[in-house]
Amino acid sequence: MLFKDIIDLVAITTAKDPDGFPVVTETKRTIFADKKSVRQSEFYQAAAQNIKLELMFDVRSIDYQGEELLEYERQRYKIVRTYDKDGELTELVCSRLEGG
């Protein structure tokens, strides 16, 4: 398996400032991934619920820390589903965020 695609995993955390207002912080980490096509059955099952799955990536499980977003080729995607394949790899299934 070649990990030739570069993605940014995006973690978003919310904390409160001294005055009690929420402060949103975004942290990006760049990792290597293996881009794949979304499986046809999964694509159509999601489409039936108005979810458009566009990309799927395999990443090393050690690199994925529960992030909910990723960026690939200047486009932001929501990680809709994750799947631990064998303890070594995690599959990330993504849909495009509008305006991202």
Side-chain angles (χ1 to χ4, degrees):
M1 180 170 301
L2 298 174
F3 289 89
K4 61 182 173 65
D5 299 293
I6 297 173
I7 63 173
D8 289 321
L9 294 174
V10 182
I12 297 179
T13 56
T14 304
K16 293 189 178 187
D17 69 7
D19 296 323
F21 293 101
V23 176
V24 177
T25 305
E26 194 174 281
T27 307
K28 291 184 188 180
R29 291 184 309 110
T30 302
I31 66 167
F32 288 98
D34 187 27
K35 181 181 163 193
K36 301 181 147 210
S37 296
V38 175
R39 286 182 284 285
Q40 186 177 17
S41 61
E42 192 167 9
F43 176 85
Y44 286 112
Q45 286 174 354
Q49 297 181 17
N50 291 326
I51 300 170
K52 185 178 179 187
L53 299 180
E54 293 196 24
L55 294 175
M56 184 167 72
F57 294 95
D58 279 344
V59 299
R60 290 178 182 86
S61 295
I62 197 165
D63 289 336
Y64 180 67
Q65 298 173 357
E67 291 88 350
E68 295 179 10
L69 302 174
L70 69 80
E71 288 182 4
Y72 176 69
E73 294 183 342
R74 298 186 198 170
Q75 177 63 51
R76 190 165 275 201
Y77 296 87
K78 178 179 179 169
I79 300 171
V80 176
R81 184 185 67 78
T82 63
Y83 175 69
D84 181 10
K85 293 175 90 171
D86 57 9
E88 300 268 333
L89 297 176
T90 299
E91 183 178 86
L92 308 176
V93 181
C94 308
S95 65
R96 184 186 307 248
L97 286 178
E98 296 301 320

